[in-house]
Amino acid sequence: EQYYVRPGEPLVSSFYRWKNYWIRGVLSLAMIFGFFLIIYMGPITLILVVMSVQIKCFQEIITIGYRVYHSYELPWFRTLSWYFLICVNYFFYGETVADYFGALVQREEPLQFLARYHRFISFALYLAGFCMFVLSLVKKHYRLQFYMFAWTHVTLLIVVTQSHLVIQNLFEGMIWFIVPISIVICNDIMAYLFGFFFGRTPLIKLSPKKTWEGFIGGFFSTVVFGFILAYLLSQFQYFVCPVGYNSETNSFTIECEPSDIFVMQEYTLPAAIQNTLRWKTVNLYPFQIHSIFLSSFGSLIGPFGGFFASGFKRAFKIKDFANTIPGHGGIMDRFDCQYLMATFTHVYISFIPEQLLKQQSQKV
């Protein structure tokens, strides 16, 4: 039995196609279940998972560079790439610990020293790597080595910087981590389903399988999903409170008086809606309104992270970043939109009036 995937495309085996969809579907459900389990285990586990994902994404992109530029024989370069990753992570995570866990830093003498000279130590570590790179330059390979030096730094900018913003969002409250990530997952699934069942009109040449029907269907589905998820999570301190450190119990805590954006409010509906629905007011959590903006970005702009990744892969004539997840490709193939969404969320939080967040900042 055979059929056309899209008008004009070659015939493919229905067995092969459905087998691929089955593998992809089962692993998608497994990853979603794993995501719920990690959330249950708490923010520290989430941080460790984000770090692991970051390292794997870095490894996938750097490996492509090695393969494309045939740089296996360049002295020290594999070592230097990972050394720079350690330096950048040391800088970012050190800043985070100093900002969010001041009480912990003040209690420990070694941490006080590291916090006081953190930026100097970070710069010294990077400078050592820079000098090692210069010393590793080999005649006839200068251009290739500088290509790889730039490749490493662009990868650090894309992966490490944005994964650091994921951690920053998490410390503001797990809801700022869970909702954006879930929005991207929902949009990816719903756009795929709408495109599979109703897709007829190609959306962009970089991703021939993407359709306008999937794009539009994914948008409306994601906005509804984000609105409902925001309502469910806003009711629990575990999700809305920032991660804090209790110096008395010497442990991390998630307890607070919820800020105003997580307190139910009554809103008066516009006159046009009142006349149509016969409702004058509606009770909502303010965060539900914020979720509409997050969902809109995740549905309209977020996919461009995927298009960017598609263009990158086409430029180097590869199908996936790696074969880590059967049916899905590499870890980077699953997180190409997440990093863009994390950056937007971090910027969005900064625009929320401080008075709406001040109660939330009163950590135990």
Side-chain angles (χ1 to χ4, degrees):
E1 181 187 355
Q2 294 180 325
Y3 57 88
Y4 286 96
V5 178
R6 292 285 184 272
E9 288 188 355
L11 288 168
V12 295
S13 167
S14 63
F15 172 78
Y16 176 80
R17 188 185 187 197
W18 284 105
K19 179 182 178 181
N20 183 59
Y21 290 152
W22 173 254
I23 293 174
R24 183 167 182 157
V26 169
L27 286 175
S28 295
L29 292 175
M31 287 188 288
I32 292 173
F33 175 78
F35 180 58
F36 289 145
L37 179 62
I38 293 168
I39 291 172
Y40 173 77
M41 294 174 70
I44 303 304
T45 303
L46 281 172
I47 293 172
L48 295 176
V49 170
V50 171
M51 291 180 64
S52 300
V53 168
Q54 173 214 113
I55 292 171
K56 181 58 180 173
C57 289
F58 180 84
Q59 183 264 333
E60 290 177 357
I61 298 177
I62 288 296
T63 299
I64 293 172
Y66 290 144
R67 185 165 60 247
V68 170
Y69 291 121
H70 307 288
S71 57
Y72 298 100
E73 302 302 323
L74 295 181
W76 297 4
F77 212 90
R78 236 178 237 281
T79 303
L80 282 174
S81 295
W82 289 100
Y83 177 81
F84 283 127
L85 176 67
I86 294 171
C87 290
V88 175
N89 272 303
Y90 175 82
F91 171 75
F92 279 125
Y93 283 98
E95 293 282 310
T96 298
V97 170
D99 289 342
Y100 287 91
F101 304 112
L104 175 62
V105 172
Q106 294 301 320
R107 284 188 54 178
E108 304 293 337
E109 187 69 29
L111 291 181
Q112 291 181 32
F113 173 83
L114 292 175
R116 186 178 303 114
Y117 299 103
H118 173 69
R119 296 193 177 184
F120 175 80
I121 295 172
S122 300
F123 177 71
L125 290 173
Y126 179 83
L127 197 60
F130 179 81
C131 292
M132 285 190 289
F133 167 73
V134 174
L135 293 173
S136 72
L137 291 174
V138 178
K139 190 176 181 180
K140 296 183 180 181
H141 290 295
Y142 294 153
R143 179 179 295 182
L144 179 59
Q145 288 182 281
F146 277 101
Y147 277 154
M148 293 304 299
F149 184 79
W151 183 286
T152 298
H153 282 68
V154 171
T155 304
L156 291 171
L157 177 65
I158 293 174
V159 176
V160 181
T161 304
Q162 296 188 78
S163 65
H164 172 69
L165 297 182
V166 174
I167 302 298
Q168 292 278 321
N169 298 340
L170 173 61
F171 280 122
E172 294 296 331
M174 289 180 65
I175 196 168
W176 294 106
F177 173 87
I178 297 171
V179 170
I181 284 184
S182 300
I183 282 171
V184 173
I185 295 172
C186 174
N187 182 253
D188 188 43
I189 293 173
M190 297 310 297
Y192 178 81
L193 292 176
F194 273 93
F196 178 80
F197 289 107
F198 307 107
R200 294 294 182 273
T201 312
L203 175 63
I204 186 171
K205 291 182 179 180
L206 283 173
S207 297
K209 295 182 180 180
K210 299 291 195 308
T211 63
W212 276 104
E213 291 80 4
F215 186 77
I216 295 172
F219 167 74
F220 286 107
S221 302
T222 303
V223 170
V224 173
F225 170 80
F227 190 79
I228 295 173
L229 182 63
Y231 171 79
L232 296 175
L233 299 186
S234 295
Q235 303 176 49
F236 302 97
Q237 282 193 20
Y238 182 74
F239 298 114
V240 304
C241 290
V243 180
Y245 179 77
N246 191 320
S247 57
E248 296 180 358
T249 61
N250 196 31
S251 62
F252 295 100
T253 62
I254 310 179
E255 298 177 9
C256 68
E257 182 69 26
S259 67
D260 291 343
I261 63 173
F262 301 113
V263 177
M264 187 74 74
Q265 306 287 343
E266 185 177 70
Y267 293 90
T268 302
L269 295 173
I273 299 180
Q274 289 185 30
N275 295 332
T276 303
L277 301 179
R278 304 299 179 184
W279 292 345
K280 292 186 178 180
T281 61
V282 63
N283 292 325
L284 298 172
Y285 291 102
F287 184 75
Q288 288 180 266
I289 300 174
H290 293 297
S291 74
I292 295 176
F293 293 102
L294 294 174
S295 299
S296 297
F297 180 89
S299 303
L300 300 178
I301 307 299
F304 280 83
F307 300 153
F308 176 87
S310 296
F312 179 89
K313 289 182 285 187
R314 285 179 176 273
F316 295 101
K317 299 179 181 180
I318 56 175
K319 184 178 183 295
D320 297 310
F321 283 95
N323 297 314
T324 308
I325 311 172
H328 291 267
I331 299 296
M332 192 64 198
D333 290 288
R334 294 296 90 205
F335 282 83
D336 47 11
C337 299
Q338 293 288 3
Y339 286 131
L340 189 62
M341 186 69 195
T343 304
F344 173 76
T345 303
H346 186 77
V347 173
Y348 186 86
I349 292 173
S350 68
F351 281 96
I352 297 177
E354 185 177 351
Q355 60 269 26
L356 293 180
L357 294 172
K358 63 181 180 180
Q359 288 174 273
Q360 190 182 16
S361 66
Q362 295 173 357
K363 306 174 186 177
V364 176

